[in-house]
Amino acid sequence: MHNNKQMTFSAPFSGAVLTMARIPDPVFASGAMGDGLAIDPLDDVLHAPFAGVVINVARTLHAINLRADNGSEWLLHVGIDTVELNGEGFDALVKDGQRVTEGQPLLRFDLDKVARNCRSLVSALILLNGDRYELSPVRESGSVNVGEPLMQVIALAPDDESAQSTDVRAKQARGSIRVAHNGGLHARPAALVRQTARQFASHAELHFSGASASTDSVTGLMGLGVAEQDEVEVVCLGHDSEVALQALLKALSTPAHDEKPQAPVAAAPKASSKADRENGILHGVTASPGLASGPLFRLDTLELGEDLGGHRPDEQRQILSEALVEVRADISTSLDHDQHEQSAIFATHLAMLEDPALLDAAFDAIDQGQAATHAWSHAVLAQCANLEKLGNALLAERANDLRDLRQRVLLTLLGEARTLEIPAGAIVAARELTPSDLLRLAQCGVGGICMAEGGATSHVAILARGKGMPCLVALGSTLLDIAHEYAHESAHQEVVLDADNARLEIRPDAPRLKEIHSLRAQRFEQRQRQQQHAHLPALTQDGVSIVVAANVASRADAENAQLNGADGVGLLRTEFLFVDRSTAPTEDEQLAAYQSVLDAMPDKPVIIRTIDIGGDKQLEYLPLPAEANPVLGLRGIRLGQARPELLDQQLRALLRVKPLARCRILLPMITEVSELLAVRERIDELAREAGIGERPELGVMIEVPSAALLAEQLAEHADFLSIGTNDLSQYTLAMDRDHAGLAARVDALHPALLRLIAMTCSAAASKGRWVGVCGALACDPLATAVLIGLGVRELSVSPPQVAEIKALVRELDTRQCQALAQHVVSLGSAADVRAASSTFQTQVLTRRASA
């Protein structure tokens, strides 16, 4: 709350309160950016500490500038060095210029990801125009909850303007420089620029991309959207302008000593050259693999003619409003029926359709005499231009989403569906497609897609992969020229889209086309054969049964697994029940969710893992201390030990499912036998209390080296063992599996990991227990033979892979797999194992084909 003289600044996080001096960063701690406090957060949402307006959301989403109703301006900066994440792990919930209320969520971030990749989670709360206000902390230590008073902000009487006046007209100096700060002009570099400028009497401004900002305003400097290596112009006015200019140019071109060098940016894909075109090949980037051939068809975007005017604003307002309602309803229907990836995209579109800035711009244009079609189109394209000029890949992707909305609303306004007279199996060429375009094209039965622009991580790319549609992006403008030429040639002229090798073959000869048609037919027939036998058991050549189950997270996943022939559920992750909500799920809610999965898999076993959430994945209703190294902290079964009421509630729900004989309970992050025995004893107690005589099977996850080393002791008390290769890899290799620079090396086919798997299987067999693998390694066809040879008898994979893995199992002989396993555990690297496994698989499949 506030009045003209005083305002209360409420805590935007729950957590420990720190003074500025205790912030682990010299720029913040020195007060160079301004006065304030800091919080070491316990939750993953930044809330508005007062009512006001969003001045600026940082380009990298790690910080937000707010202006309170009393005029004070604030920087809310999440973590230290978080600008280097370049937006990864952050999700802005508000936009520039948006009005916010006290307590409103401003941004959400992935605590796990951010904590692992920044220097500290300590978040600074800085008053930027401190010359006009005085701060009176309510508390400077201890802990605070969201919404509790943190500071009083008191407005000062204005100073005599004459005392601050400077003759800025005395002298002018200007110069240009490239900004060298990692991440561009985010909070800390902007503060250093301001600090430098304040050493001089001259007034200084930065000019960039048609906009300018005074060096007095950190907010203004950040709002310019200056990235690293962008060139800015510095203008100084005053008697010491020359000296000030040189100091500012140096400040902008010299990174701070504590800035980490930025990882080299991957080279842009090579544009197709004239020589390539003459050789009949265009090179691009694979967005979705696959092979296709067909006529090339150019798809152009919808364009409007000239607006002739003479419109009634009230009528056009009504037309646009009705069109927006219709499109919202259409998107909502998509949200109800589409798969997860599509739903996430359409949810983004729905939020954009409700953006007040976009709607206000369109309706203002109508009031000025434009037609609803042109007003909407201009408003969207203006927003796209604003996003794209910032040079941020994530924002550029949002611009493509906006173009999609432009198209959808225009089609509704014009009262006609877009006519797509596309030949069946055509290869569609476009500058850049929208998600809606792709879904319409998929319904038309096109063979593949190639785009002059676009990226391999865009929404269109995600949808193309989900549809199994070959797709290349970034082919360059030459693609459009060629597609235009093809429009005037015979429709029977085919091209080859080889997305596996990122190339478009413009004029393939008859032998090449024959080869492509044969390869595609072989692939199709292979998938068909695999699917026909997906519901049959997976028996090796020598009669050993391998269970091929599915990893799922919901009833819908389980239904998909059943359709794909899964032998059961090898891993039901229960975390989906607990996240993204303000209160814990009740016992009845949990029971309903677990029962629905069992019902979706009739007569088949379902393995349900107890909650694996802890210091690395915070829950809003379960405050836990932040941890410096969460993957080694309070997670898995350790959380159940720390919060037994949470585990008890889950166990009670699991004991109530029917039939209980098909329910198997799996315990994550077990490191010693006592943890297993404690849970088994607790299950017995809860069952007796409920009058339940039956007990579900109880298994443990082998995902830390200590569990593998104690596999024999664990198998003595567990009914089964399930290996989680994702975590076992990172703990065995001492490599964070989420570390971008190490991801390629965290390979579960490493010989050291295979030795732990072999040890686990041998120990389990000695106690008459079976071993499964539910980690990503089970989904890798190259690992199937090795795992069977090591003694694994259950593989839990993604539902679409069930048929493929079952088909591969049927080609194998366990004795040959054992020989392979004995060989690869003696090798020196994962690469060597993969090479040996690939050779083995090729030989086996070749022998089977010739038999």
Side-chain angles (χ1 to χ4, degrees):
M1 62 180 181
H2 66 85
N3 52 41
N4 290 335
K5 296 293 184 181
Q6 185 168 323
M7 178 191 80
T8 298
F9 184 107
S10 301
F13 289 118
S14 295
V17 181
L18 293 80
T19 60
M20 295 290 294
R22 294 179 60 195
I23 298 179
D25 180 272
V27 177
F28 284 121
S30 67
M33 299 182 64
D35 195 10
L37 289 173
I39 292 179
D40 192 355
L42 291 177
D43 37 38
D44 61 355
V45 176
L46 174 71
H47 298 82
F50 46 71
V53 175
V54 178
I55 301 174
N56 169 251
V57 178
R59 180 176 55 85
T60 47
L61 308 180
H62 70 294
I64 288 184
N65 293 110
L66 292 181
R67 180 183 295 112
D69 290 341
N70 74 337
S72 59
E73 296 184 358
W74 293 83
L75 169 67
L76 312 181
H77 192 286
V78 179
I80 306 298
D81 286 341
T82 44
V83 65
E84 296 177 13
L85 293 177
N86 200 32
E88 291 188 18
F90 288 91
D91 182 18
L93 307 178
V94 294
K95 300 180 180 181
D96 293 1
Q98 182 175 333
R99 174 80 185 171
V100 297
T101 58
E102 182 177 339
Q104 179 175 340
L106 302 176
L107 64 81
R108 185 184 299 277
F109 58 99
D110 185 331
L111 265 176
D112 180 22
K113 188 180 194 72
V114 174
R116 292 182 189 183
N117 293 279
C118 72
R119 190 143 49 93
S120 170
L121 275 177
V122 170
S123 301
L125 316 168
I126 308 295
L127 176 63
L128 298 175
N129 51 351
D131 55 328
R132 295 169 49 195
Y133 300 88
E134 178 182 329
L135 297 183
S136 176
V138 175
R139 63 186 75 193
E140 294 182 282
S141 61
S143 62
V144 68
N145 293 320
V146 171
E148 293 182 350
L150 191 62
M151 293 180 275
Q152 295 295 330
V153 185
I154 304 167
L156 300 174
D159 293 333
D160 183 0
E161 294 184 4
S162 62
Q164 298 183 357
S165 64
T166 302
D167 185 6
V168 297
R169 295 168 295 177
K171 195 174 182 182
Q172 182 184 108
R174 63 176 63 221
S176 297
I177 197 74
R178 290 193 180 278
V179 173
H181 292 277
N182 183 11
L185 283 188
H186 54 94
R188 289 193 299 146
L192 291 173
V193 169
R194 182 180 72 164
Q195 189 178 39
T196 300
R198 287 189 168 184
Q199 299 174 22
F200 306 96
S202 294
H203 173 77
E205 291 184 346
L206 259 61
H207 295 249
F208 174 70
S209 190
S212 63
S214 168
T215 55
D216 284 334
S217 171
V218 172
T219 302
L221 293 174
M222 290 189 292
L224 291 175
V226 177
E228 184 178 2
Q229 293 305 313
D230 279 343
E231 185 172 336
V232 299
E233 183 183 30
V234 183
V235 178
C236 298
L237 301 168
H239 66 83
D240 57 356
S241 58
E242 288 288 353
V243 182
L245 175 64
Q246 295 306 313
L248 286 168
L249 293 177
K250 183 178 180 180
L252 289 163
S253 61
T254 307
H257 294 302
D258 61 338
E259 284 189 14
K260 300 176 185 176
Q262 192 165 9
V265 178
K270 182 184 75 171
S272 298
S273 66
K274 181 179 179 181
D276 290 329
R277 179 178 176 179
E278 291 173 352
N279 291 330
I281 297 172
L282 293 182
H283 296 283
V285 175
T286 299
S288 176
L291 188 64
S293 63
L296 191 65
F297 181 90
R298 176 170 174 171
L299 183 67
D300 293 312
T301 58
L302 182 61
E303 300 297 337
L304 296 175
E306 182 182 356
D307 187 353
L308 301 177
H311 311 292
R312 290 177 51 191
D314 56 343
E315 184 179 82
Q316 294 299 311
R317 274 179 163 269
Q318 182 67 23
I319 291 173
L320 178 57
S321 296
E322 291 175 354
L324 293 172
V325 169
E326 185 175 337
V327 173
R328 286 192 193 103
D330 182 43
I331 293 177
S332 296
T333 300
S334 298
L335 279 169
D336 292 337
H337 295 95
D338 281 313
Q339 297 177 354
H340 174 72
E341 293 87 353
Q342 298 176 17
S343 295
I345 294 168
F346 291 134
T348 300
H349 290 183
L350 196 59
M352 287 179 168
L353 266 183
E354 296 168 353
D355 178 6
L358 180 63
L359 299 180
D360 288 349
F363 285 117
D364 286 348
I366 287 177
D367 291 340
Q368 295 170 14
Q370 290 188 20
T373 49
H374 292 70
W376 173 253
S377 178
H378 294 161
V380 172
L381 294 178
Q383 287 273 40
C384 291
N386 289 336
L387 292 175
E388 289 173 331
K389 74 179 182 182
L390 296 177
N392 182 299
L394 295 174
L395 296 180
E397 188 175 312
R398 297 290 81 76
N400 198 37
D401 289 328
L402 278 171
R403 289 194 188 91
D404 193 0
L405 287 179
R406 172 185 177 270
Q407 196 96 329
R408 296 183 75 148
V409 175
L410 285 180
L411 290 172
T412 303
L413 285 168
L414 294 170
E416 55 181 314
R418 186 174 187 174
T419 302
L420 296 177
E421 297 178 357
I422 302 177
I427 307 301
V428 174
R431 181 172 300 281
E432 190 167 24
L433 294 173
T434 68
S436 293
D437 285 332
L438 187 134
L439 294 178
R440 285 193 291 269
L441 290 171
Q443 293 172 355
C444 294
V446 302
I449 291 172
C450 46
M451 294 187 285
E453 300 175 2
T457 60
S458 68
H459 283 159
V460 172
I462 293 170
L463 290 179
R465 289 193 290 270
K467 295 290 184 182
M469 184 182 297
C471 178
L472 287 185
V473 298
L475 284 156
S477 59
T478 304
L479 169 69
L480 303 178
D481 297 334
I482 293 172
H484 180 73
E485 294 169 6
Y486 265 64
H488 299 87
E489 297 181 7
S490 170
H492 299 292
Q493 174 65 45
E494 292 189 22
V495 298
V496 170
L497 178 59
D498 184 358
D500 292 335
N501 296 298
R503 48 190 266 158
L504 177 69
E505 300 173 24
I506 304 168
R507 296 185 186 279
D509 57 20
R512 174 60 171 161
L513 287 173
K514 183 178 180 180
E515 178 188 13
I516 294 299
H517 294 159
S518 176
L519 285 172
R520 292 188 64 208
Q522 290 174 21
R523 292 185 182 185
F524 177 77
E525 290 172 2
Q526 183 182 40
R527 286 194 298 270
Q528 291 293 100
R529 286 196 303 270
Q530 291 173 348
Q531 201 60 40
Q532 286 174 2
H533 300 93
H535 291 271
L536 299 177
L539 297 176
T540 65
Q541 290 287 311
D542 53 331
V544 176
S545 176
I546 304 297
V547 175
V548 182
N551 296 330
V552 306
S554 66
R555 179 191 178 112
D557 287 348
E559 291 172 342
N560 190 24
Q562 172 70 6
L563 289 173
N564 279 278
D567 296 327
V569 169
L571 175 65
L572 169 62
R573 302 178 181 91
T574 59
E575 292 77 38
F576 74 97
L577 272 172
F578 292 81
V579 298
D580 295 330
R581 51 187 299 160
S582 58
T583 59
T586 65
E587 182 181 323
D588 287 342
E589 284 180 297
Q590 292 191 51
L591 171 61
Y594 306 148
Q595 188 65 57
S596 70
V597 173
L598 263 75
D599 293 344
M601 302 291 292
D603 303 322
K604 295 177 180 178
V606 173
I607 298 176
I608 302 177
R609 186 178 68 188
T610 58
I611 183 172
D612 187 12
I613 285 179
D616 61 332
K617 305 183 191 77
Q618 290 281 352
L619 300 177
E620 183 179 341
Y621 50 86
L622 185 68
L624 294 170
E627 298 179 282
N629 200 341
V631 295
L632 300 179
L634 193 64
R635 58 168 297 197
I637 200 62
R638 301 168 191 169
L639 175 62
Q641 294 171 324
R643 299 296 296 267
E645 73 283 0
L646 191 69
L647 181 59
D648 279 358
Q649 184 185 53
Q650 187 168 33
L651 294 175
R652 287 191 184 96
L654 289 168
L655 287 169
R656 292 171 60 192
V657 301
K658 296 178 181 179
L660 192 55
R662 287 204 291 117
C663 176
R664 297 170 178 170
I665 299 176
L666 183 61
L667 305 178
M669 289 298 292
I670 291 291
T671 59
E672 58 186 50
V673 177
S674 63
E675 296 168 329
L676 166 61
L677 293 177
V679 176
R680 187 176 283 285
E681 181 179 346
R682 191 58 184 151
I683 290 175
D684 287 339
E685 292 174 0
L686 295 174
R688 283 194 297 269
E689 291 174 6
I692 299 173
E694 194 175 6
R695 301 290 187 272
E697 289 188 17
L698 182 63
V700 299
M701 289 201 72
I702 306 296
E703 50 190 340
V704 297
S706 65
L709 294 169
L710 290 174
E712 184 173 355
Q713 292 91 323
L714 288 169
E716 187 173 344
H717 301 282
D719 297 302
F720 64 95
L721 305 179
S722 184
I723 301 174
T725 54
N726 300 350
D727 270 326
L728 187 59
S729 298
Q730 71 172 347
Y731 291 129
T732 301
L733 303 177
M735 294 181 186
D736 183 351
R737 61 189 173 101
D738 292 327
H739 191 294
L742 298 174
R745 297 178 59 188
V746 186
D747 192 333
L749 276 179
H750 192 286
L753 207 77
L754 298 181
R755 286 174 179 249
L756 290 176
I757 295 174
M759 182 183 302
T760 300
C761 292
S762 176
S766 71
K767 301 297 180 181
R769 312 301 189 195
W770 61 268
V771 176
V773 172
C774 59
L777 192 62
C779 301
D780 187 348
L782 210 56
T784 304
V786 175
L787 292 175
I788 291 175
L790 292 173
V792 172
R793 292 298 177 261
E794 186 227 40
L795 300 170
S796 192
V797 303
S798 64
Q801 287 185 288
V802 169
E804 177 188 6
I805 297 299
K806 280 190 172 184
L808 180 56
V809 168
R810 298 186 187 109
E811 300 293 334
L812 302 173
D813 184 294
T814 56
R815 291 161 296 191
Q816 295 174 345
C817 293
Q818 288 166 356
L820 171 67
Q822 290 174 3
H823 171 60
V824 297
V825 294
S826 66
L827 298 178
S829 69
D832 292 340
V833 174
R834 288 194 174 277
S837 300
S838 179
T839 299
F840 172 85
Q841 190 175 96
T842 300
Q843 292 172 345
V844 167
L845 296 179
T846 301
R847 284 198 299 268
R848 295 283 178 262
S850 60

